Amino acid sequence: FHRLMGNVVMKPAVAISSSSSSSSTDNAVLRVYAHCTRGQAGAVTLLVINIDPHTNFRLILNEENPSAKHVTGSLLYPRDEYVLSALSLEARDIEMNGSPLHVTTSADLPPLVPKTVFTNSELVVSPHTISFFDLKGVKSMACKGSFDDKPSVREKKT
């Protein structure tokens, strides 16, 4: 989370549709958060959590939405996708972009290699996933000077 998500929080400018007419698209099963991307001026990262066990959701980034009025550039590409999934919410094994994640022998996280997408394809969120979409092509005015890579006061070394 902290590797991608910066401190500036925005209202996500997205419309949501689902693959199931019986599923709810309210906050009970799908959550969408938007932050300036850490270390990339102008870029935006979406965090999307889908706890529905059966429904795929399609996110449409809406340039006409008032909260997107200060956004220029491509909304969907290039982008890096980090999709965490498991067979169930209680599963012990987790995959990222379809590959198993295992801690290293020193109990560190493995390198988190994203899937880079260069096409203007839609954002699809599968059931039981946590997805980070690093929208590198976005040029958000709210994120223009937001690098968020400076250490906080607590992290500074003297």
Side-chain angles (χ1 to χ4, degrees):
F1 179 88
H2 292 289
R3 292 181 187 181
L4 288 173
M5 308 292 274
N7 295 328
V8 178
V9 180
M10 297 168 288
K11 180 178 180 182
V14 297
I16 301 167
S17 66
S18 72
S19 63
S20 169
S21 59
S22 63
S23 179
S24 170
T25 58
D26 66 7
N27 288 344
V29 295
L30 187 74
R31 302 277 175 107
V32 181
Y33 304 92
H35 287 238
C36 294
T37 303
R38 185 175 300 278
Q40 297 178 44
V44 174
T45 295
L46 295 179
L47 165 59
V48 185
I49 302 170
N50 181 3
I51 62 169
D52 190 289
H54 307 291
T55 305
N56 288 307
F57 290 96
R58 185 170 62 104
L59 298 176
I60 301 150
L61 299 177
N62 185 357
E63 294 181 52
E64 302 302 316
N65 187 311
S67 65
K69 67 183 175 184
H70 299 294
V71 171
T72 61
S74 167
L75 292 181
L76 290 176
Y77 67 92
R79 70 177 182 265
D80 285 342
E81 297 182 355
Y82 302 82
V83 179
L84 301 169
S85 61
L87 293 176
S88 72
L89 293 177
E90 298 83 23
R92 293 178 56 104
D93 297 320
I94 298 174
E95 294 183 345
M96 189 176 83
N97 297 332
S99 298
L101 279 180
H102 301 289
V103 294
T104 65
T105 54
S106 60
D108 292 323
L109 286 175
L112 302 177
V113 181
K115 173 184 169 188
T116 301
V117 177
F118 290 102
T119 64
N120 204 14
S121 60
E122 63 191 9
L123 299 177
V124 177
V125 182
S126 300
H128 278 173
T129 58
I130 298 173
S131 303
F132 292 89
F133 298 104
D134 181 0
L135 308 175
K136 297 172 178 297
V138 170
K139 302 296 180 224
S140 170
M141 293 300 285
C143 303
K144 204 106 170 117
S146 175
F147 279 96
D148 285 334
D149 59 355
K150 297 177 181 130
S152 67
V153 173
R154 290 179 304 211
E155 295 172 340
K156 285 184 180 176
K157 294 183 180 180
T158 56

